[in-house]
Amino acid sequence: MSEHHRLEPVVPWIEVVATEADWDAADPSLLTTMYGQLVLIRAFEEQVLELAKAGLVHGPAHASIGQEGGAVGSVLALAPGDTVNGSHRGHHQFLAKALCHVEPEGLDPRVDLSPRARDVLLRGLAEICGLERGFSHGRGGSMHLQWTEAGAIGTNAIVGGGVPLAAGSAWAHRQAGTDAVAVTYFGDGAINIGSTLETFNLAAAWKLPLCFFVENNRYAVSTGVREATGEPRLSARGPGFGIASFKVDGMDPLAVHQTMREALALLRSGRGPVLIEADVYRYFHQNGPFPGSAFGYRTKEEERQWRARDPLDQVARHLERRGLLTPAELDKARAAATTLMAGIADTLLEPDPGAAGRQGTAVRRIKPAEWPRPSFADVGVRGDLSEFGDARFTFEGTLAGQKFIDAVAAVMARRMETDPGVVVLGEDVHRLGGGTNGATRGLKERFPDRVLGTPISENAFSGLGGGIALDGRFRPVVEFMYADFMWVAADQLFNQIGKARHMFGGAGPVPLVLRSKVAMGTGYGSQHSMDPAGIFATAPGWRIAAPSTPYDYVGLMNSALRCQDPVLVLEHVDLYGTVGDGPVGDLDYCLPVGSAAVRRTGDAVTVLTYLAMTPLVLEVAGEADAEVIDLRWLDRASLDWDTVGASVRKTGAVLIAEQGALGTSYGGWLADEIQRRYFDWLDQPVRRVTGGEASPSISKVLERAAIAGAAEVSAALAEMTRS
């Protein structure tokens, strides 16, 4: 008969409970500050719900009432250099961190709040109402709160979406040589999300100083935690990844504080991440001022039981028991916080002269002067490129035949040599002689701590790169082995990295370079061959560089690494082995953002193309006296409209030539834009050469039939120039 040996986790998994003796031993200033923060955050949230009930919050109001103990207890244990992010229900964590920043010596609930702390509450309320004086000028609202100066690096509306970003913050803390940590707050819904679990694994493998703080409030909207998972003790997830894990009563702020202090000792000692599960309870529904029982998914009795353990009442009871505050002082602090928040709301509101409430009560509105200007709507989608003020756009070397892939490796080595902030990460970039194609050849040997081979976890490592970029001390270069894998990490690329600058007010840079290759024609089939240019061109925030020569690659990569926006640098497998003009003696020049290259002059047709399609077009362009423009920059903001416009005015005809599939075609939006910009100069409709509707197949014959090449371009040119 087989033997059974019980396996135990190699890391601790423990529950922490605060005793009466712990409350007796707690520093009085800690307890008074704890109470001061709790009453302010509770009053803030109550005011938010009042405004929501009055229709003055445009969008959701995800109140944290009932969950304040977990946020306050944990944040009060943190140091000023530590960073936090959170989920859509993150007002309490944001406010706790911001209040600690402006009141580092603590809060005394008996003393009037300082102007700095009042300003935090005012700007926070304004942000939730979508107003100009908010932290992100009203763009973030309830779900996207960021104040990097205070270490609050951004709450997040995508469940689990902020977890990988926090890993990037943790990596940056460690790489910078500090003992700072990052804390990412999320709920019971997010713990089952792929990006969260991928980040568990990555953080544990790399021993990042990252605390995963799970607020288990029992419900993801209306779905109970026992419906969603076979193991409702959510801290059980940690040991399976080798993460030390704690379980604590989140309604007990002191127990949470003690747990976080234990966790911080592990984090600052370099032993890797920790997970804390805090059992909390949101008193209201997912969104708005009504209890969950009003929607039928939980009972009033359940709500009464949890309210009986209210964190404010627990702290108040011990303050009174220890003689630190009298009952009158405790009540006065709560009343003062409510009065304060009402006054802050008055700053933003005025009577609405055009409306009256029930029984003659006044109806209020947002003061018109508080709204952001409509003209601000698109400001900050991308930066203004002022970072190129001292860039060198002149080439000071010579040109010689060079293999394309050698230019890729050479310029990255040069930039890592001159800029210690550049870090490269991706699957296998540290092995195989420079990854699967040699693009990172020699880098791991020269820069061992800045070339990071990742697990297969596109969500985690792309989000980690985003977090590094948002941190600002380092400049990540993230490699996706194939562009198709971008769909796996679509949330991190489009919802997080691409939107971050604009969403948080338009001023914060996001200096990230994403490298990936287009592999059409290589026999890798439908899931390893896509051209993502059409997808990225329609997504806000990204710039797109598409080099077709070794010389262009160096100049475009240098510009991408200087740019303060996220830049996708596309590479085509067909070009890797080709030899073209490459730079000798100068790897430091930039090619201006928004500069196309006229590869051939002509008078009959303007052909717009990029990447490996450029040499194919040049093979047949002479047959039709076509002018060939290699776009080089493909995104809406960076496209060289001056060069394109001059050519269209000369030829009166446009052909857009690309290899990729019809449905995700880059040329679709471009053709529309050209028709509208240059309609008066066009003698015929804009034509497009693309691949077919289907993705490329592995069969050599079917793959060739699915993509466009020189023959298709030749046929289109012949038809366009037929007299």
Side-chain angles (χ1 to χ4, degrees), residues 59 61 77 105 113 115 134 200 240 251 259 304 378 402 407 444 457 470-471 535 558 579 586 589 625 631 708 718:
E105 301 303 317
L113 202 63
F200 283 1
M251 308 298 277
T259 304
R304 278 194 294 270
D378 285 341
Q402 184 180 30
K444 182 65 176 178
S457 53
L470 289 167
D471 175 87
I535 305 299
N558 283 333
V579 175
D586 183 6
Y589 63 94
D625 189 24
L631 293 172

Side-chain angles (χ1 to χ4, degrees), residues 164 166-172 174-175 198-210 212 241-243 267 270-273 423-431 444 448-457 460-466 468 476-479:
S169 180
W171 184 90
R174 187 180 66 186
Q175 186 71 5
E198 286 185 21
T199 308
F200 283 1
N201 181 68
L202 182 58
W206 289 5
K207 296 192 180 302
L208 296 180
L210 175 59
F212 299 99
F241 289 92
I243 298 173
L267 291 166
R271 294 170 62 182
V423 55
V424 173
L425 62 149
E427 296 161 8
D428 295 307
V429 296
H430 61 319
R431 299 270 167 79
K444 182 65 176 178
D449 65 332
R450 291 160 54 203
V451 178
L452 312 176
T454 67
I456 298 175
S457 53
F461 73 73
S462 61
L464 181 139
I468 294 172
V477 180
V478 179
E479 178 184 308

Side-chain angles (χ1 to χ4, degrees), residues 606 608 629 631 639-649 674 678:
T606 298
L608 305 178
I629 298 177
L631 293 172
L639 200 133
D640 186 350
W641 292 112
D642 291 339
T643 298
V644 171
S647 183
V648 172
R649 292 182 181 94
I674 290 171
Y678 307 115

Side-chain angles (χ1 to χ4, degrees), residues 51 110 118 172 219 253 256 264 294 299 312 391 411 538 542 547 560 570 645 653 668 715:
L51 295 178
R110 296 163 295 190
R118 186 183 186 280
Y219 295 95
V256 174
L264 288 170
T299 66
L312 278 72
V411 69
T538 59
W542 284 91
L570 287 176

Side-chain angles (χ1 to χ4, degrees), residues 47-295:
Q47 185 63 62
V48 167
L49 292 184
E50 284 296 316
L51 295 178
K53 189 185 300 183
L56 296 172
V57 176
H58 181 65
H62 297 297
S64 65
I65 294 176
Q67 300 184 196
E68 304 96 337
V72 172
S74 59
V75 170
L76 284 175
L78 301 179
D82 298 331
T83 49
V84 305
N85 75 355
S87 69
H88 57 282
R89 193 179 314 284
H91 305 168
H92 51 328
Q93 299 134 9
F94 174 83
L95 289 174
K97 192 69 167 75
L99 289 169
C100 283
H101 175 69
V102 297
E103 297 291 353
E105 301 303 317
L107 284 173
D108 187 334
R110 296 163 295 190
V111 177
D112 288 343
L113 202 63
S114 71
R116 293 174 302 168
R118 186 183 186 280
D119 189 59
V120 166
L121 300 172
L122 174 60
R123 292 179 67 191
L125 192 63
E127 184 60 45
I128 290 169
C129 290
L131 307 182
E132 165 62 30
R133 74 165 83 205
F135 284 96
S136 297
H137 306 289
R139 283 185 178 154
S142 174
M143 299 185 289
H144 309 114
L145 295 168
Q146 183 194 66
W147 192 23
T148 55
E149 178 186 324
I153 59 176
T155 58
N156 205 291
I158 302 296
V159 174
V163 177
L165 299 173
S169 180
W171 184 90
H173 290 324
R174 187 180 66 186
Q175 186 71 5
T178 76
D179 70 346
V181 309
V183 183
T184 183
Y185 293 89
F186 54 93
D188 47 279
I191 203 165
N192 299 318
I193 292 288
S195 58
T196 301
L197 299 173
E198 286 185 21
T199 308
F200 283 1
N201 181 68
L202 182 58
W206 289 5
K207 296 192 180 302
L208 296 180
L210 175 59
C211 175
F212 299 99
F213 195 101
V214 189
E215 289 186 315
N216 184 358
N217 68 18
R218 299 297 190 276
Y219 295 95
V221 186
S222 64
T223 301
V225 68
R226 292 182 180 276
E227 299 176 71
T229 178
E231 172 52 276
R233 298 172 302 171
L234 303 183
S235 49
R237 303 288 199 281
F241 289 92
I243 298 173
S245 298
F246 301 85
K247 184 175 177 60
V248 65
D249 178 6
M251 308 298 277
D252 182 337
L254 183 62
V256 174
H257 185 76
Q258 292 175 321
T259 304
M260 180 58 85
R261 287 175 61 87
E262 288 190 45
L264 288 170
L266 295 175
L267 291 166
R268 300 199 201 281
S269 68
R271 294 170 62 182
V274 298
L275 186 153
I276 297 174
E277 177 192 6
D279 289 320
V280 295
Y281 198 77
R282 55 172 165 85
Y283 292 171
F284 293 90
H285 180 53
Q286 165 77 354
N287 169 33
F290 302 102
S293 56
F295 298 87

